[in-house]
Amino acid sequence: MANNKGLNQAGRAKKDEFYTQLSDIENELRHYRAHFRGKTVLCNCDDPRVSNFFHYFAYNFEALGLRRLITTCYKSQEPDLFSMNTCERAIWLEYLGDRNGNRVPDPDEIGIRPLLGDGDFRSEECVGLLRQADIVVTNPPFSLFREYLAQLIEHGKQFVIVAHQNAIHYKEVFPLFMQNRLWLGYGFPGNAGFFISKYEDVATASVHKAGMIRVSGVTWFTNLEIPKRHERFVSYRNYSPDFYPRYDNYDAIDVSKTVDIPGDYEGVMGVPITFMAKYNPEQFEIVGTSTSEMPRGAPYVNGKRIYERVLIRWRK
């Protein structure tokens, strides 16, 4: 069975440039179309000449009613998906829409400009482009996700970005969920994504086909309002002390599967991280995580440590 061995190896080596498939971008962004009208979109972790994010927004520029599209490239200008970013000059691209009526982003309609630095999203010139954007859409490096998200929040940007669900637990990230400043999008089929990878040494057990890597638990993070966020969770379970054990080190019951959340329990419940894909802030209050709230920083049941939990309770 495919696993996350490749992803973990990539993270340790800081090799986490995984290119998102166009089909996955289309499946997610179809839910956000109304947000893009009249807006400037920035894709600031993309090689514009091969990025499927640039492809999606450029070819849908008029249909979405965009005002402007900006993408930045880190180092490499080569139109080769598997280039190793060896060029000295980074670039940024600007597209303002179709000018000749063929509804296609032709090369002479795309402004290509050099960057002074290496195109790092943290550089002064890339931050300057960020300030000009309304919405950021990209797949940032997983190893830099904390820093990347913090920058978006600092500059008050709206965004739809790819990340691993484990990032929910980060101490810099989870408070944003509690404050309803961040939530999950619609996600990938089967809670896993197949990404185009240029690192043959990390695409081992997780290979889907040549040049691709399977990453379990990957999802979309956003702060754009979407209907999914307000879909009501329907409980088909009633509380029973025989079915829901209590934690040894915290006053709450353990719910091992989101589908088993009891509808009649008024106290605190520990649920898996996958619950966040079903979280409706009108129905549930988030108390915290087992890391932040529990002695020893983890949940224990009958002396055994179990997986980290999100602590919730029903709103009355």
Side-chain angles (χ1 to χ4, degrees), residues 1-8 202 204-207 213-216:
M1 180 178 295
N3 54 43
N4 282 344
K5 180 181 178 181
L7 175 64
N8 294 334
V202 301
T204 54
S206 297
V207 165
I213 185 171
R214 181 183 188 275
V215 183
S216 297

Side-chain angles (χ1 to χ4, degrees), residues 95-129:
Y95 182 59
L96 300 176
D98 178 48
R99 294 198 301 264
N100 61 15
N102 67 354
R103 312 282 283 189
V104 173
D106 298 310
D108 61 350
E109 296 173 333
I110 301 171
I112 302 177
R113 298 172 174 82
L115 289 168
L116 298 176
D118 60 8
D120 190 301
F121 69 87
R122 296 162 292 190
S123 66
E124 182 178 348
E125 56 187 343
C126 286
V127 172
L129 293 173

Side-chain angles (χ1 to χ4, degrees), residues 239-240 244-247 250-255 262 265 267-271 311:
Y239 171 70
S240 167
Y244 299 97
R246 303 194 70 83
Y247 295 118
Y250 192 79
D251 184 18
I253 62 171
D254 183 63
V255 182
Y265 188 76
V268 178
M269 302 172 282
V271 295
L311 302 173

Side-chain angles (χ1 to χ4, degrees), residues 140-174:
F142 287 1
S143 63
L144 298 175
F145 182 75
R146 291 177 175 89
E147 199 169 350
Y148 184 83
L149 179 62
Q151 184 187 79
L152 296 181
I153 298 298
E154 177 187 353
H155 290 273
K157 297 303 174 181
Q158 294 182 308
F159 54 85
V160 187
I161 56 178
V162 178
H164 197 276
Q165 66 181 15
N166 287 344
I168 295 172
H169 286 304
Y170 295 166
K171 64 180 181 180
E172 304 91 344
V173 175
F174 194 77

Side-chain angles (χ1 to χ4, degrees), residues 61-271:
F61 193 94
E62 282 74 27
L64 294 171
L66 293 182
R67 181 167 65 90
R68 188 180 178 206
L69 172 62
I70 306 171
T71 57
T72 59
C73 172
Y74 181 78
K75 288 185 180 178
S76 178
Q77 301 179 60
E78 298 299 321
D80 174 9
L81 183 63
F82 300 99
S83 66
M84 295 306 294
N85 294 331
T86 56
C87 289
E88 295 299 324
R89 181 60 61 87
I91 59 172
W92 68 279
L93 269 61
E94 179 182 44
Y95 182 59
L96 300 176
D98 178 48
R99 294 198 301 264
N100 61 15
N102 67 354
R103 312 282 283 189
V104 173
D106 298 310
D108 61 350
E109 296 173 333
I110 301 171
I112 302 177
R113 298 172 174 82
L115 289 168
L116 298 176
D118 60 8
D120 190 301
F121 69 87
R122 296 162 292 190
S123 66
E124 182 178 348
E125 56 187 343
C126 286
V127 172
L129 293 173
L130 174 65
R131 292 193 183 102
Q132 300 174 37
D134 300 302
I135 305 175
V136 178
V137 186
T138 192
N139 180 358
F142 287 1
S143 63
L144 298 175
F145 182 75
R146 291 177 175 89
E147 199 169 350
Y148 184 83
L149 179 62
Q151 184 187 79
L152 296 181
I153 298 298
E154 177 187 353
H155 290 273
K157 297 303 174 181
Q158 294 182 308
F159 54 85
V160 187
I161 56 178
V162 178
H164 197 276
Q165 66 181 15
N166 287 344
I168 295 172
H169 286 304
Y170 295 166
K171 64 180 181 180
E172 304 91 344
V173 175
F174 194 77
L176 298 174
F177 281 92
M178 296 185 68
Q179 298 160 14
N180 285 312
R181 299 171 65 193
L182 174 65
W183 45 88
L184 297 186
Y186 286 82
F188 290 79
N191 200 35
F194 292 98
F195 296 88
I196 304 165
S197 172
K198 66 183 181 183
Y199 305 113
E200 294 180 1
D201 56 327
V202 301
T204 54
S206 297
V207 165
H208 171 55
K209 59 183 179 180
M212 300 193 74
I213 185 171
R214 181 183 188 275
V215 183
S216 297
V218 71
T219 188
W220 296 82
F221 285 51
T222 186
N223 60 355
L224 290 172
E225 198 61 59
I226 49 178
K228 174 182 178 290
R229 186 168 175 251
H230 303 284
E231 292 176 354
R232 296 195 66 78
F233 177 85
V234 179
S235 172
Y236 297 97
R237 289 279 192 178
N238 292 320
Y239 171 70
S240 167
D242 296 328
F243 189 79
Y244 299 97
R246 303 194 70 83
Y247 295 118
D248 302 341
N249 56 332
Y250 192 79
D251 184 18
I253 62 171
D254 183 63
V255 182
S256 60
K257 297 180 180 179
T258 298
V259 70
D260 289 332
I261 293 176
D264 59 348
Y265 188 76
E266 297 184 356
V268 178
M269 302 172 282
V271 295

Side-chain angles (χ1 to χ4, degrees), residues 36 47 51 62 95 97 120 268 294 306:
F36 294 115
D47 185 335
S51 166
E62 282 74 27
Y95 182 59
D120 190 301
V268 178
M294 292 186 177
I306 61 174

